[in-house]
Amino acid sequence: EGGEADVEDPPASAGRREFPMVLVQIPMYNEKEVYKLSIGAVCALTWPPDRIIIQVLDDSTDPIIKELVELECQEWASKKIDIKYEVRNNRKGYKAGALKKGMEHVYAQQCEFVAIFDADFQPESDFLLKTIPFLVHNPKIALVQTRWKFVNYDACLMTRIQKMSLDYHFKVEQESGSFMHAFFGFNGSTAGVWRVSAINESGGWKDRTTVEDMDLAVRACLKEWEFLYVGDIRVKSELPSTFKAYRHQQHRWTCGAANLFRKMGWEIVTNKGVSIWKKWHLLYSFLFVRRVIAPILTFLFYCVVIPLSAMVPEVHIPVWGLVYIPTAITVMNAIRNPGSLHLMPFWILFENVMSMHRMRAALTGLLETAHVNDWVVTEKVGDLVKDDFDVPLLEPLKPTECVERIYIPELLLALYLLICASYDYVLGSQTYFMYIYLQALAFIVLGFGFVGMKTPCS
């Protein structure tokens, strides 16, 4: 906690101990809208200039964007910032491949810790001063994970709903995982600091799934490394503001996690280095229940079983499944977002629609079908979001002009829900028709792309 002078000019004898060598990696791919934001924020980090190396891992395929990123790096290098611009001949392994290649450089191997930020993340200048001490003073900690702060959470209804879900994830899943089990996933391979020796001991970055962050975290856990989540440290980032971008992101996260369960299940069971309790948490709670069962059951129960029960009186749904569990989850989200209480109905309907997409992704990863390793980088808009904060919560996207924004599976399920709701209203004895009509409306809205911010058609 020394003054600014101490940071800029540390004593020679204390430099290596108090200010270890830190590598900061910024993986990016055609990030025209945000590359300046992340590079600028990282270059402004408070740390002795001779104890930090910034590495821009550019996998861009657009030659114009590559030139812009390289020029930005050269500009910062002219200001005596130790910044390296690294490119590859191919995109093998996508993000995991880029991170792995970045760690192979001689200068990277001399660093004790590595901080990683996606191209839309903007850490505060004191980020390293707040995170590195945890790793320095506790050699058992492999990762310090910080919280995401969303700069565009109020851009539209979809981003507000995402914030509600992620707030729940950080507070309940991340914090409880850190407190109770000393384990949680490395969120999106970003906004965290790793101990390089822990990465190496765990086998390094692997590209066998689309969740290289979770893969590395699970392997490190099996090596008895500990993780620390620090929710008080927040890093600015951007939420997907178009439905197409959000679908791609959710497919990558859900499919990759289910595929990791398939690939590492037996390895976790047979591991002799960790306790049975930690194995149970990893295999059953963290991977199987949350990443495989939850998306499948959510869709089947709320979008298939409940509507079908309106047409088949013999189907009886227990009250705990119909009321108690959904109410408990909703209340926990509401507590975390008291200012968004009025959005809870939209959150429930939106999450139920997304459950169909997540179920398909989970089955893809579990069965390892053709699209298991599909990787589509989440589109960013950067500073453009500042000019679009006045858009309506539901922005019409004119699907007749953009056929690609019509999602047939959502519309087919909307038809099924309308039939079930109408049957219940006219001939049935149930009282589900109001909920089913609302859910059908949600599928129609998303099926025609009437959600998120308006962007040019590709």
Side-chain angles (χ1 to χ4, degrees), residues 23 48 225 249 287 289 326 366 371 391 402:
L23 176 70
W225 285 100
Q249 182 200 69
L287 286 173
V289 173
L366 196 61
H371 299 286
V391 297
C402 301

Side-chain angles (χ1 to χ4, degrees), residues 228-279:
L228 178 67
Y229 168 72
V230 187
D232 293 336
I233 304 175
R234 305 193 177 197
V235 182
K236 293 179 181 177
S237 63
E238 181 183 317
L239 290 166
S241 54
T242 66
F243 186 46
K244 180 181 178 181
Y246 185 63
R247 277 169 56 100
H248 284 313
Q249 182 200 69
Q250 293 301 299
H251 174 87
R252 189 172 72 244
W253 288 359
T254 308
C255 175
N259 191 229
L260 184 65
F261 170 76
R262 173 191 174 111
K263 283 181 162 64
M264 289 202 68
W266 184 244
E267 182 179 342
I268 294 172
V269 170
T270 57
N271 185 277
K272 298 179 180 179
V274 296
S275 65
I276 295 178
W277 169 247
K278 185 164 285 190
K279 287 182 184 180

